[in-house]
PDB file of all heavy atoms in Angstrom:
ATOM      1  N   ARG A  66       0.834   6.201  -5.167  1.00 93.00           N
ATOM      2  CA  ARG A  66       0.676   4.852  -4.610  1.00 93.00           C
ATOM      3  C   ARG A  66       1.607   4.588  -3.436  1.00 93.00           C
ATOM      4  O   ARG A  66       1.396   3.649  -2.673  1.00 93.00           O
ATOM      5  CB  ARG A  66       0.918   3.817  -5.705  1.00 93.00           C
ATOM      6  CG  ARG A  66      -0.170   3.800  -6.790  1.00 93.00           C
ATOM      7  CD  ARG A  66       0.271   2.979  -7.964  1.00 93.00           C
ATOM      8  NE  ARG A  66       0.615   1.621  -7.528  1.00 93.00           N
ATOM      9  CZ  ARG A  66      -0.276   0.646  -7.517  1.00 93.00           C
ATOM     10  NH1 ARG A  66      -1.483   0.841  -7.956  1.00 93.00           N
ATOM     11  NH2 ARG A  66       0.064  -0.548  -7.084  1.00 93.00           N
ATOM     12  N   ARG A 100      -4.245   2.081   5.413  1.00 92.00           N
ATOM     13  CA  ARG A 100      -5.087   2.131   4.222  1.00 92.00           C
ATOM     14  C   ARG A 100      -6.560   2.406   4.558  1.00 92.00           C
ATOM     15  O   ARG A 100      -7.305   2.811   3.705  1.00 92.00           O
ATOM     16  CB  ARG A 100      -4.945   0.818   3.438  1.00 92.00           C
ATOM     17  CG  ARG A 100      -3.586   0.711   2.784  1.00 92.00           C
ATOM     18  CD  ARG A 100      -3.381  -0.625   2.162  1.00 92.00           C
ATOM     19  NE  ARG A 100      -2.002  -0.797   1.716  1.00 92.00           N
ATOM     20  CZ  ARG A 100      -1.446  -1.978   1.528  1.00 92.00           C
ATOM     21  NH1 ARG A 100      -2.116  -3.086   1.776  1.00 92.00           N
ATOM     22  NH2 ARG A 100      -0.206  -2.049   1.091  1.00 92.00           N
ATOM     23  N   ASN A 111     -13.022  -0.564 -10.400  1.00 93.00           N
ATOM     24  CA  ASN A 111     -12.823  -1.963 -10.052  1.00 93.00           C
ATOM     25  C   ASN A 111     -13.746  -2.388  -8.911  1.00 93.00           C
ATOM     26  O   ASN A 111     -13.292  -2.830  -7.872  1.00 93.00           O
ATOM     27  CB  ASN A 111     -11.361  -2.217  -9.695  1.00 93.00           C
ATOM     28  CG  ASN A 111     -10.847  -1.313  -8.590  1.00 93.00           C
ATOM     29  OD1 ASN A 111     -11.568  -0.434  -8.110  1.00 93.00           O
ATOM     30  ND2 ASN A 111      -9.634  -1.542  -8.149  1.00 93.00           N
ATOM     31  N   PRO A 112     -15.044  -2.267  -9.114  1.00 93.00           N
ATOM     32  CA  PRO A 112     -15.960  -2.772  -8.062  1.00 93.00           C
ATOM     33  C   PRO A 112     -15.793  -4.251  -7.922  1.00 93.00           C
ATOM     34  O   PRO A 112     -15.400  -4.925  -8.881  1.00 93.00           O
ATOM     35  CB  PRO A 112     -17.355  -2.403  -8.616  1.00 93.00           C
ATOM     36  CG  PRO A 112     -17.174  -2.328 -10.094  1.00 93.00           C
ATOM     37  CD  PRO A 112     -15.787  -1.821 -10.295  1.00 93.00           C
ATOM     38  N   PHE A 113     -16.105  -4.785  -6.746  1.00 92.00           N
ATOM     39  CA  PHE A 113     -16.058  -6.222  -6.563  1.00 92.00           C
ATOM     40  C   PHE A 113     -17.217  -6.852  -7.314  1.00 92.00           C
ATOM     41  O   PHE A 113     -18.265  -6.244  -7.491  1.00 92.00           O
ATOM     42  CB  PHE A 113     -16.191  -6.594  -5.065  1.00 92.00           C
ATOM     43  CG  PHE A 113     -15.129  -6.000  -4.219  1.00 92.00           C
ATOM     44  CD1 PHE A 113     -15.461  -5.450  -2.959  1.00 92.00           C
ATOM     45  CD2 PHE A 113     -13.814  -5.980  -4.631  1.00 92.00           C
ATOM     46  CE1 PHE A 113     -14.463  -4.914  -2.170  1.00 92.00           C
ATOM     47  CE2 PHE A 113     -12.832  -5.430  -3.832  1.00 92.00           C
ATOM     48  CZ  PHE A 113     -13.151  -4.897  -2.605  1.00 92.00           C
ATOM     49  N   ALA A 114     -17.020  -8.120  -7.712  1.00 89.00           N
ATOM     50  CA  ALA A 114     -18.105  -8.851  -8.370  1.00 89.00           C
ATOM     51  C   ALA A 114     -19.129  -9.305  -7.338  1.00 89.00           C
ATOM     52  O   ALA A 114     -19.333 -10.490  -7.119  1.00 89.00           O
ATOM     53  CB  ALA A 114     -17.506 -10.046  -9.130  1.00 89.00           C
ATOM     54  N   LYS A 115     -19.672  -8.305  -6.649  1.00 88.00           N
ATOM     55  CA  LYS A 115     -20.682  -8.569  -5.623  1.00 88.00           C
ATOM     56  C   LYS A 115     -21.818  -7.568  -5.826  1.00 88.00           C
ATOM     57  O   LYS A 115     -21.738  -6.734  -6.702  1.00 88.00           O
ATOM     58  CB  LYS A 115     -20.071  -8.384  -4.235  1.00 88.00           C
ATOM     59  CG  LYS A 115     -18.885  -9.271  -3.898  1.00 88.00           C
ATOM     60  CD  LYS A 115     -18.368  -8.912  -2.525  1.00 88.00           C
ATOM     61  CE  LYS A 115     -17.115  -9.693  -2.173  1.00 88.00           C
ATOM     62  NZ  LYS A 115     -17.321 -11.128  -2.028  1.00 88.00           N
ATOM     63  N   TYR A 123     -18.549  -5.075   2.568  1.00 91.00           N
ATOM     64  CA  TYR A 123     -17.606  -6.183   2.743  1.00 91.00           C
ATOM     65  C   TYR A 123     -16.419  -5.816   3.647  1.00 91.00           C
ATOM     66  O   TYR A 123     -16.129  -6.489   4.623  1.00 91.00           O
ATOM     67  CB  TYR A 123     -17.112  -6.721   1.399  1.00 91.00           C
ATOM     68  CG  TYR A 123     -16.263  -7.933   1.577  1.00 91.00           C
ATOM     69  CD1 TYR A 123     -16.839  -9.154   1.839  1.00 91.00           C
ATOM     70  CD2 TYR A 123     -14.860  -7.847   1.597  1.00 91.00           C
ATOM     71  CE1 TYR A 123     -16.065 -10.279   2.085  1.00 91.00           C
ATOM     72  CE2 TYR A 123     -14.084  -8.948   1.846  1.00 91.00           C
ATOM     73  CZ  TYR A 123     -14.691 -10.164   2.079  1.00 91.00           C
ATOM     74  OH  TYR A 123     -13.912 -11.271   2.355  1.00 91.00           O
ATOM     75  N   SER A 160     -26.024  -6.654  -8.987  1.00 87.00           N
ATOM     76  CA  SER A 160     -24.577  -6.744  -9.093  1.00 87.00           C
ATOM     77  C   SER A 160     -23.972  -5.400  -9.452  1.00 87.00           C
ATOM     78  O   SER A 160     -24.497  -4.668 -10.305  1.00 87.00           O
ATOM     79  CB  SER A 160     -24.195  -7.750 -10.166  1.00 87.00           C
ATOM     80  OG  SER A 160     -22.825  -7.611 -10.492  1.00 87.00           O
ATOM     81  N   ARG A 176     -17.268   3.287  -1.816  1.00 94.00           N
ATOM     82  CA  ARG A 176     -16.666   2.174  -1.074  1.00 94.00           C
ATOM     83  C   ARG A 176     -15.498   2.674  -0.244  1.00 94.00           C
ATOM     84  O   ARG A 176     -15.305   2.256   0.904  1.00 94.00           O
ATOM     85  CB  ARG A 176     -16.192   1.139  -2.113  1.00 94.00           C
ATOM     86  CG  ARG A 176     -15.627  -0.118  -1.535  1.00 94.00           C
ATOM     87  CD  ARG A 176     -15.319  -1.084  -2.620  1.00 94.00           C
ATOM     88  NE  ARG A 176     -14.234  -0.616  -3.513  1.00 94.00           N
ATOM     89  CZ  ARG A 176     -13.851  -1.268  -4.603  1.00 94.00           C
ATOM     90  NH1 ARG A 176     -14.445  -2.387  -4.962  1.00 94.00           N
ATOM     91  NH2 ARG A 176     -12.864  -0.796  -5.348  1.00 94.00           N
TER      92      ARG A 176
ATOM     93  N   SER B 162      -6.604  -5.593 -10.604  1.00 91.00           N
ATOM     94  CA  SER B 162      -7.242  -4.426 -10.001  1.00 91.00           C
ATOM     95  C   SER B 162      -8.198  -4.833  -8.886  1.00 91.00           C
ATOM     96  O   SER B 162      -8.443  -4.053  -7.966  1.00 91.00           O
ATOM     97  CB  SER B 162      -7.989  -3.625 -11.095  1.00 91.00           C
ATOM     98  OG  SER B 162      -9.131  -4.347 -11.516  1.00 91.00           O
ATOM     99  N   GLN B 163      -8.740  -6.076  -8.943  1.00 92.00           N
ATOM    100  CA  GLN B 163      -9.586  -6.551  -7.852  1.00 92.00           C
ATOM    101  C   GLN B 163      -8.761  -6.707  -6.575  1.00 92.00           C
ATOM    102  O   GLN B 163      -9.207  -6.401  -5.469  1.00 92.00           O
ATOM    103  CB  GLN B 163     -10.188  -7.892  -8.224  1.00 92.00           C
ATOM    104  CG  GLN B 163     -11.233  -7.810  -9.315  1.00 92.00           C
ATOM    105  CD  GLN B 163     -12.578  -7.346  -8.776  1.00 92.00           C
ATOM    106  OE1 GLN B 163     -13.061  -7.803  -7.773  1.00 92.00           O
ATOM    107  NE2 GLN B 163     -13.181  -6.379  -9.456  1.00 92.00           N
ATOM    108  N   GLU B 165      -6.003  -5.059  -5.860  1.00 92.00           N
ATOM    109  CA  GLU B 165      -5.649  -3.716  -5.392  1.00 92.00           C
ATOM    110  C   GLU B 165      -6.816  -3.088  -4.671  1.00 92.00           C
ATOM    111  O   GLU B 165      -6.638  -2.438  -3.646  1.00 92.00           O
ATOM    112  CB  GLU B 165      -5.241  -2.835  -6.578  1.00 92.00           C
ATOM    113  CG  GLU B 165      -3.952  -3.266  -7.188  1.00 92.00           C
ATOM    114  CD  GLU B 165      -3.373  -2.232  -8.107  1.00 92.00           C
ATOM    115  OE1 GLU B 165      -4.164  -1.628  -8.854  1.00 92.00           O
ATOM    116  OE2 GLU B 165      -2.159  -2.026  -8.097  1.00 92.00           O
ATOM    117  N   ALA B 166      -8.037  -3.303  -5.182  1.00 93.00           N
ATOM    118  CA  ALA B 166      -9.236  -2.749  -4.511  1.00 93.00           C
ATOM    119  C   ALA B 166      -9.320  -3.263  -3.102  1.00 93.00           C
ATOM    120  O   ALA B 166      -9.527  -2.506  -2.149  1.00 93.00           O
ATOM    121  CB  ALA B 166     -10.489  -3.099  -5.313  1.00 93.00           C
ATOM    122  N   LEU B 168      -6.928  -4.585  -1.168  1.00 92.00           N
ATOM    123  CA  LEU B 168      -5.811  -4.110  -0.327  1.00 92.00           C
ATOM    124  C   LEU B 168      -5.993  -2.634   0.035  1.00 92.00           C
ATOM    125  O   LEU B 168      -5.709  -2.244   1.161  1.00 92.00           O
ATOM    126  CB  LEU B 168      -4.489  -4.306  -1.060  1.00 92.00           C
ATOM    127  CG  LEU B 168      -4.073  -5.768  -1.262  1.00 92.00           C
ATOM    128  CD1 LEU B 168      -2.776  -5.842  -2.054  1.00 92.00           C
ATOM    129  CD2 LEU B 168      -3.892  -6.480   0.076  1.00 92.00           C
ATOM    130  N   SER B 169      -6.486  -1.834  -0.925  1.00 92.00           N
ATOM    131  CA  SER B 169      -6.608  -0.400  -0.664  1.00 92.00           C
ATOM    132  C   SER B 169      -7.662  -0.097   0.399  1.00 92.00           C
ATOM    133  O   SER B 169      -7.709   0.998   0.912  1.00 92.00           O
ATOM    134  CB  SER B 169      -6.914   0.356  -1.944  1.00 92.00           C
ATOM    135  OG  SER B 169      -8.284   0.189  -2.265  1.00 92.00           O
ATOM    136  N   GLY B 180     -12.147 -13.668   0.219  1.00 87.00           N
ATOM    137  CA  GLY B 180     -13.465 -13.042   0.146  1.00 87.00           C
ATOM    138  C   GLY B 180     -13.765 -12.405  -1.215  1.00 87.00           C
ATOM    139  O   GLY B 180     -14.937 -12.230  -1.574  1.00 87.00           O
ATOM    140  N   VAL B 291     -22.380 -14.922 -10.110  1.00 68.00           N
ATOM    141  CA  VAL B 291     -21.317 -14.079  -9.555  1.00 68.00           C
ATOM    142  C   VAL B 291     -21.287 -12.711 -10.228  1.00 68.00           C
ATOM    143  O   VAL B 291     -21.144 -11.681  -9.589  1.00 68.00           O
ATOM    144  CB  VAL B 291     -19.953 -14.800  -9.701  1.00 68.00           C
ATOM    145  CG1 VAL B 291     -18.831 -13.829  -9.436  1.00 68.00           C
ATOM    146  CG2 VAL B 291     -19.902 -15.953  -8.713  1.00 68.00           C
ATOM    147  N   THR B 292     -21.405 -12.694 -11.568  1.00 63.00           N
ATOM    148  CA  THR B 292     -21.246 -11.432 -12.258  1.00 63.00           C
ATOM    149  C   THR B 292     -22.585 -10.759 -12.554  1.00 63.00           C
ATOM    150  O   THR B 292     -22.610  -9.622 -12.995  1.00 63.00           O
ATOM    151  CB  THR B 292     -20.547 -11.624 -13.606  1.00 63.00           C
ATOM    152  OG1 THR B 292     -21.346 -12.500 -14.396  1.00 63.00           O
ATOM    153  CG2 THR B 292     -19.178 -12.227 -13.430  1.00 63.00           C
ATOM    154  N   ALA B 293     -23.699 -11.485 -12.315  1.00 56.00           N
ATOM    155  CA  ALA B 293     -25.014 -10.960 -12.576  1.00 56.00           C
ATOM    156  C   ALA B 293     -25.183 -10.481 -14.010  1.00 56.00           C
ATOM    157  O   ALA B 293     -25.924  -9.556 -14.278  1.00 56.00           O
ATOM    158  CB  ALA B 293     -25.371  -9.834 -11.600  1.00 56.00           C
TER     159      ALA B 293
END
Side-chain angles (χ1 to χ4, degrees):
Chain A
R66 292 168 56 92
R100 289 173 188 158
N111 55 357
F113 301 138
K115 300 177 185 295
Y123 186 78
S160 167
R176 184 175 66 184
Chain B
S162 71
Q163 290 280 315
E165 292 194 319
L168 292 177
S169 77
V291 167
T292 60

